[in-house]
Amino acid sequence: MNRRDFIKSVATVGTISALGLGLEQFIPTALGDEKMASPTPYDHDALPVELRIDPKTGKVDLNPDIALKNSVCLGCWSNCGNRVKVDKKTGKILRVLGNPYHPSNAEPHLPYNTPLTDSLKSLGQYQDLGITQRATVCQRGNSAYQIVYDPNRILTPLKRAGKRGEGKWKPITWEQAIQETVEGGQLFKELGEEQVIEGLRQVRDLNTPLNPEEPGWGPKANQFVFIGGRDDGRTEFANRFVTKSFGSPNFYGHGGTCGGSRRIAFLSFLDTWDKKPHMKADYMGSELVMFFGNAPGQAGAPFQPMARKSALAQADNGMKAILVDPVLQNGMYTSPESSESSWVPILPGSDGALAMAMARWAFEQKKINEAFLSAPNKEAATKRKNPSWTNATYLVIQETGHPDFGKFLRAEQIGLGLPVAPAATTPANGTPAPAPTPNYVVIDKVSGKPTLYNQSEEATLYYSGKLSVGGSDVLVKTSLQLFLEEANRYTFDQYAEATGLSKNKIFALAKEFFQHGTKAATDHHGGVAMHANGFYSSLAVIMLNALVGNINRKGGSTKSGGGYVAIDKGKRYDLLSFPGMAKPQGFKISREGRRYEDTPEFKKKKAAGQNPYPATLPWSPIADSLVGNVIPSMMAGYPYNAKILMMWMTNPFYSTPGLFQKDVENYVKEPKNIPLIISVDVLMGDSSMYADYIIPDTTFYESWGVPTVWNLILTKVNGARRPVVQPLTGKTKDGQPMSFEAYCIEVGKRLNLPGIGEKGIPNAQGEPTPLNTREDFFLKALANVAFDETPVANISADELKLTGLNQDLNYTASSLTPEEWQKVYYVLARGGRFEDYDKRYDGDVLHNKFPKILAIYNEKLGTTRHSFSGEYLPGTACWQPPALADGRTVDEVYPNSQWPFHIISYKPRYRTGSYLSNVPLLQDMAKTNAIEINLADAEKLGIQDGHSVKLITPTGEAIGTAKVRRGVRQGTIAVEYGFGHWAAGAKSYSIGSKNVPADSTLGQGVLVNLISLRDPSLKSPHPLTDLVGGSTDRNTTKARLVKL
Amino acid sequence: MTEKKRRWAMVIDLRKCVGCNACTVSCKIENNVPEGVYRTWVKEIEKGDYPQVTRFRLPRLCNHCDNAPCLAACPVQATYRTEDGAILIDYDHCIGCKYCMAACPYDARFINPVRKTAEKCTFCYHRVEEGLLPACVTTCVGGARVFGNINDPESLVAKLVANNPVQVLKPEMNTQPYVFYIGADQNIMGARYDNLEKGEQ
Amino acid sequence: MVSNVTYLANVVHPVQLGILISIYFFYTGLSAGSFVLSSLGTVFGIQKYKPIAKAGVIMAVALLAIAPLHLIGDLEQPQRFYTLFFRLNPHSAISYGTFLLTLYPLNSLIYGWFLFRRDFATGAQELTGFRRVLYKFLSFGKMDLSKAALAKDAKIAKFLGTLGVPLALMVHGYTGFILADIQARALWHTGLMPLIFLMSAMVSGTGLLILVLMFSQRFLSPERTITPERKSLLLDIAQLMMWFIVVDATLMVIDFIMLYFDNVAGHAAAKLFLYGSHRTMFLGVEVGLGLLIPFIITLLPKTRKSLGWIGFASVLTLIGVIAMRINFVIGGQQIPLSADTLNPYTADPKHLIMIGIFALLEITILYLAFRFLPVYGLPKEKVQTEL
Ligand SMILES: Nc1nc2c(c(=O)[nH]1)N[C@H]1C(S)=C(S)[C@@H](COP(=O)(O)OP(=O)(O)OC[C@H]3O[C@@H](n4cnc5c(=O)[nH]c(N)nc54)[C@H](O)[C@@H]3O)O[C@H]1N2
Ligand SMILES: Nc1nc2c(c(=O)[nH]1)N[C@H]1C(S)=C(S)[C@@H](COP(=O)(O)OP(=O)(O)OC[C@H]3O[C@@H](n4cnc5c(=O)[nH]c(N)nc54)[C@H](O)[C@@H]3O)O[C@H]1N2
Ligand code: SF4
Ligand code: SF4
Ligand code: SF4
Ligand code: SF4
Ligand code: SF4
Ligand SMILES: [Mo]
């Protein structure tokens, strides 16, 4: 009995005797004492405060029991900064705050040289700094730390102890996991599986062709297929291991299921295929942003800055947000006085039609920015104060059958006199001289004659005519002419029908958009891109920015500040290349990145005199990361099948629309098909449950990473993620926490792979330095960051003391030189390196600009053939409805008369993709999703909120709960993604004799991916895919809805 | 003139609320609020006839009323008012009679199923007393929530209230709330009665 | 009122004061009603009601002894209930209620004692065995049976009874008042609420009294029968009940008219009860079974003379008033304050068990009291041998 209980019992007796008197003075003193103990200003259950700030003087007093560590979130793939509040005694995370230095957390973010103690004031009342310097993390950033402490985390390696997917596991040692996955053998003999499995050693063969009859497909090493997540600041480590050390081209991020076609459309517009830039609108400077899907505050990348900037822009700067989306998502503020909504409930998959219609209107109404588009080169643009320029006026060969069809006309082809090119100088450091710019031709506005692009000040925008090329008349058109013709291909009535919007609505939107000039911009992501026509729709939406000429302008389109040199060839270390680096050969299993015309199949057919079209399965030459194609290719054995599948930070069976049906599950479950599946995961995920081996990994609070921010941030960003808590995973023999990196490094050492071990990383002088631990890699990347451009300051003694970084990290002291450490500490203390806020703009243009020409017409695109029809792809934006590989549209195959609804999915607000479903705090926000339908549709079908309803699609059925909304397009069904798990806590499994029971709350809801469309025109099971941009279609599924 | 007494207040600028619920989640972590109950939440409403539909967000929490019915209702003085206007609950003396919950016009209170007492937003008094800000304010992604001393004319809250038309919830109750909204649609902030029994027939 | 609105997200706020509180209100109502009836003879000097004075006060005390258990049972921190006595809040109706709830049964107890003292003293002298001991003890040694002493008893009883009537009214009025006080809840916030509570208390109090009298007279009184005088008194009480019903119903009609033309929340509440999902509980059970049918029974010459019918009517009034308590307490909190649907209520099984136990306890107490206390005078000697 403690004191309080004692007092209570005394009190009870006391009161009974004082019963009825009700007078306090008669109460025994002990009781009075208890009364005095209140009021309780401190909530006993609240967290201890991290510090105290004097509201008058701003003096900061730290709570000595608590550490604040700046790091980087990965609650979603946005990589915002964070400031983690850690209990020093228990080493546990108490709470997560935002990092005020990081531009994703704060608007504006703190100047980089702000002393750390001053940065703490952003938590307090003093001078309202807690408001003006507020640094936030979102709902997921606040709570994602709970995955660290998930009771079912995988902390040691597991080996399958039953059939694949059966849920029987046994714990094995780290050494056994390495030994068996590397050396292979009869690994599952004890289960009666006699099959001899090839391990990483046998598969890592860079010489023997995987298919001796068609060696062109590449060596055996290609049969090691790796699927990873997207860029989280660790991915480059994985990429380096798979492609450069191991030598397999089959490294995948999740691009193809993420925003694939959008990215590829940007690559096409920016004509930059190596660095993969893409653009977003600069909300803060904008007057109007038209969001095609991608509502800020709903999802979006980066989620948090999008949400904040659009909110601030709307409230403080009067930016108007228009949301083109079948679902009325969050993120738009409409004043109660306003009589009109700026929501545009578009028919899914028809954004291309809307954008092309708006373009057509602008051409007709002469609202396009001709002054911008007619500048044929940078100098001419600069003279007109335009910070960017396009190839709108360049001539393209359009003569059917001409060998150069689709290519830009070159000056030499029409005998134009060329200026003398300066001698190609090879700079001392060995980087090759830049390739000479082709000699494009324009029709000069003044002379009206074909002129070299850089000899004209202003060129003709619209031209279609014949020029004499090599003696014959050849049809040429300007890029913009081609775009115009595409825009004019359909009438406004046709566009209206395609989009489900009225003509007047389209005109009104176009008028509104174009009247803001360069201060209007578009923004889009998965909504537009994740359709079978995603590429051209994306490109059309992007093209609206070109028509107003907003690129590189304040309030226009920005490629973002990007990052400093990190996992790259930097001032301190070369993390890009190393001696003995492998160069992947042959073709990727996903049928991407190379033309069908280069494949052994094409060549063979051609040689045999057959019509080489269509290919066995389609190819996507300009796309990448077609993760959705990987398993279907394996199943078809085309172009080849795989020996080892490794997954890390991904859940492709769950996250790929149209993939995981019975046939695929059966395929995956049969070890003969993919002999070895290794998954690196933190929990028993929906995909990992089918693995043979599971390697434990560190969560993002236990990992390193050097991520930049995807987009939208105008200044340079490099986050510095570091383990803020001791990893909970087991330790390897040499004391490393078990993790993905530790696994790769050990495998690499065992196989003697290049780029790993004592001589793993060359420094800037080319001398070898070690890559023995994960710290070796990431700290070296951070050294590059710290020394890039003007190196950062050394950390001060005070700040070092305040952060305790040298104590925290002393185990890894040898990774860097003392000189490097002083700067890396400075970076770590601030959670990264960040360019100052005032570097956003130079006057009315962006400080960090996209430096190259913009492609109204893209030559690479326009000279690529469709691998089924053999026809050239349009080289400019155009309207194409979602279609199958054989060209039939989805609506033809699944007509509205039978399939009256479209299902689209959108991102979960309280989850990230398939991830975070087991975070209790987020479970508390949403345990399940709903089948959302419009009020009118619901009334027609007699459906009310909460009714059980069934979705029927051409590929399957799903049962869920109805949610009746005003803000869903009529005829559309919206289902939030991220629910309907079959594992990740929702299914029981056993490890040795320990049973891990299922938690029935975790698997609730509907996953539309299980019933998303497949492409029935293909011979083997295959998701519906955008063959140009590579997106796996997730938003075109046709459906029926029945009330149960 | 002597300095006026400190009076805590919150302003929520709905134009900036993105409906992320970071506030809800952070509040639960900071204050160890058990599953299923919430000191703050964000009501979301769709208004209008298709396709003229707009979406409206309304973050909710205790209003720390000047004329607080909950305070009057509490028979054991477990609910009390601090010097600076915050309405708090003394968990050591709350008997859990729930009359305050019946009395609060705003649904601000709930029973903490673990502690077995009434509970509600404290304005994060334990932080505010240390010169810090409430958890929900510190993590407000859109920057909608602003907290401070409304009696200090230099404070941001005071300026926001002075320079904008502000709304409070159920002014007709005369509770004198100290949570002010900017940009709220007065017509749909409260309960909705026209379709009370939907889904029941 | 804007009607083209749909909620996407909100937090559910379940009803807090539930079945235990409703039943608590029911008990206090019964107690108050019984007391008032008891006082009709002693305080208001209406002779014909004198014989029920003792029965009334026993019921008043027995019911009020159990009533607060419901309240305490409903507390989340029941072990802290005692703090109600010394952490007072002058603005809180409950704080006053605490003292009313303490004083009223105390007063009733003493009042009752003075009504019974004569029997105790006599019994202590005349009876034998167990009862003698019991009555001797209960007389606390006050054996004076002189006329003067008895007259003094009657005087004190009258005084305490006079004090008790307002206390009883206040105890029950206050339960109505704690609801009426709450501006937030449209259904509750009316000045009529204490009156409505009072009148329904009278209805149910009378109903229960009739039933208890019938039962105890038939089985527990020395005579073991409902004598003709008793019957006529019972029928008389039933006529009282009819008038209580009339007043109660009138108040209810006024209340609902006001509610219907009140603000949106009030209007919604009225609609909920008149045509919404609560119409069965309200119009059917509370009004139909609980008021209308008993009214007809007590009105029609045929039925109003029949003990059977009257007993039936009394049962109905009890059901009706339980329904009324539930409708008002729970229904009043179901009208949303921030939501677009009714606030849900699910009875906690623990609470239902408590109610059952308390009811058993109540019946036991009443049984023991009527069995062993000289409610109907002292038993004939032959009765004693039974013991
Ligand atoms: N229907 C539909 N499908 C979609 C989408 C949609 O909106 N609708 N969205 C698509 C998009 S945009 C994307 S990006 C993809 C995402 O799909 P995936 O790339 O598959 O990524 P996640 O779903 O986030 O799953 C990540 C997995 O990594 C594991 N994990 C989490 N943290 C760690 C860690 O620290 N280490 C390791 N080793 N593993 C970890 C978790 O178990 C989790 O299952 O889904 C796509 N699929
Ligand atoms: N809360 C949350 N935020 C996230 C993530 C998360 O999982 N949860 N994931 C992150 C990741 S990996 C990514 S890739 C980004 C993705 O960011 P977004 O692409 O913005 O997110 P999605 O929800 O996939 O986008 C789908 C949106 O497009 C709409 N839509 C569907 N079909 C169409 C269409 O045909 N046309 C138009 N115009 N709109 C359509 C949907 O209604 C939805 O609003 O979000 C990131 N942020
Ligand atoms: S947006 Fe993503 S990265 Fe940023 S705080 Fe939220 S969960 Fe973390
Ligand atoms: S909002 Fe409710 S709980 Fe908060 S002070 Fe006002 S009445 Fe009390
Ligand atoms: S529940 Fe607690 S705070 Fe509320 S009125 Fe009762 S004792 Fe007071
Ligand atoms: S002020 Fe504190 S307690 Fe109140 S809602 Fe905000 S975080 Fe929760
Ligand atoms: S954190 Fe701020 S922006 Fe997000 S929902 Fe809460 S109030 Fe709105
Ligand atoms: Mo994504």
Side-chain angles (χ1 to χ4, degrees), chain B residues 61-65 68-71 87 103-106 108-109 120 175:
Chain B
L61 68 162
C62 168
N63 288 299
H64 296 272
C65 308
C70 59
L71 184 70
I87 300 282
C104 168
Y106 303 106
R109 293 178 167 238
K120 66 172 190 68
T175 48

Side-chain angles (χ1 to χ4, degrees), chain B residues 73-76 78-79 89 93-100 109 111 118:
Chain B
C74 180
V76 292
T79 292
I89 302 166
H93 286 99
C94 169
I95 58 174
C97 66
K98 298 168 279 205
Y99 288 108
C100 52
R109 293 178 167 238
I111 290 290

Side-chain angles (χ1 to χ4, degrees), chain B residues 10 23 26-27 31 39-40 61 121-124 134-136 145:
Chain B
M10 194 184 289
C23 45
S26 74
C27 174
N31 297 298
R39 290 184 178 195
T40 183
L61 68 162
C121 159
T122 55
F123 263 174
C124 280
C136 59
R145 294 188 184 220

Side-chain angles (χ1 to χ4, degrees), chain C residues 87-140:
Chain C
R87 293 178 60 88
L88 303 182
N89 177 1
H91 300 283
S92 167
I94 320 260
S95 255
Y96 296 99
T98 310
F99 292 95
L100 287 175
L101 279 174
T102 317
L103 292 179
Y104 165 69
L106 272 179
N107 177 73
S108 308
L109 207 61
I110 305 171
Y111 157 79
W113 185 78
F114 280 102
L115 293 187
F116 275 104
R117 194 189 68 86
R118 172 192 187 151
D119 293 325
F120 289 153
T122 325
Q125 288 157 27
E126 292 177 3
L127 300 181
T128 53
F130 162 75
R131 278 183 207 244
R132 178 189 177 95
V133 179
L134 179 70
Y135 291 180
K136 185 161 179 188
F137 170 75
L138 287 175
S139 66
F140 296 115

Side-chain angles (χ1 to χ4, degrees), chain B residues 43-44 46 77 94 107 197, chain C residues 6 8 80 88 277 338:
Chain B
K43 195 164 146 175
E44 286 184 74
E46 285 178 339
Q77 293 184 44
C94 169
D107 276 341
E197 307 195 52
Chain C
T6 310
L8 285 184
R80 288 182 187 165
L88 303 182
S277 60
S338 62

